[in-house]
Amino acid sequence: MSYAGDLPPGDAFERLATDPDAVLVDVRTAAEWQYVGVPDLSSIGKGVIGISWPLPGQGTAQDFVDQLTDLDPGAPLLFICRSGQRSRSAAVAATAAGFGEAYNVAEGFEGDLDPTGHRATVSGWKVAGLPWRQT
């Protein structure tokens, strides 16, 4: 099953800013939230919901979907992770579970690796200059 599509970080932020029902779900781990930072939506009067996508051996897609039950199934859900891989899986799982519009934030929070193997220098939420904070 597919999902609503990929949104570049700037488009994702614009959607969150202009659609009062749109929700950002950060599917990274608690360690990533703590040590790398999180998107900051306070300037548009919103928060970020943190629900980790299960890493191998740490749960299933169904466990993840079960945690989405408090969200409005008709609200646009935008999923973000480090690079856009886990969040794509989350968007597919949410769509399969009957949630409405489920988007992947392409490039994720830190983006692709640069030639030296580092993130947050080439693409992603942080590189796009979108608001974020350390927790």
Side-chain angles (χ1 to χ4, degrees):
M1 179 161 279
S2 192
Y3 58 100
D6 297 322
L7 294 174
D11 292 353
F13 185 79
E14 181 67 22
R15 177 69 186 265
L16 291 159
T18 59
D19 185 339
D21 296 325
V23 176
L24 183 63
V25 180
D26 191 331
V27 303
R28 295 174 299 143
T29 65
E32 289 172 298
W33 301 329
Q34 183 176 2
Y35 296 110
V36 180
V38 294
D40 183 359
L41 303 181
S42 62
S43 67
I44 58 173
K46 292 186 175 185
V48 178
I49 296 172
I51 303 175
S52 296
W53 180 257
L55 297 173
Q58 296 182 347
T60 67
Q62 186 58 53
D63 295 335
F64 174 81
V65 168
D66 289 346
Q67 295 180 69
L68 298 176
T69 57
D70 289 338
L71 302 178
D72 177 355
L77 301 178
L78 287 71
F79 295 96
I80 191 168
C81 67
R82 178 187 65 192
S83 64
Q85 301 305 309
R86 288 174 282 172
S87 51
R88 182 178 298 118
S89 296
V92 169
T95 301
F99 285 85
E101 298 174 72
Y103 295 92
N104 171 46
V105 179
E107 304 171 14
F109 188 65
E110 296 180 85
D112 297 322
L113 292 172
D114 68 16
T116 62
H118 296 103
R119 293 191 189 276
T121 63
V122 175
S123 59
W125 185 277
K126 290 171 97 174
V127 171
L130 297 171
W132 67 280
R133 63 180 175 80
Q134 292 294 151
T135 59

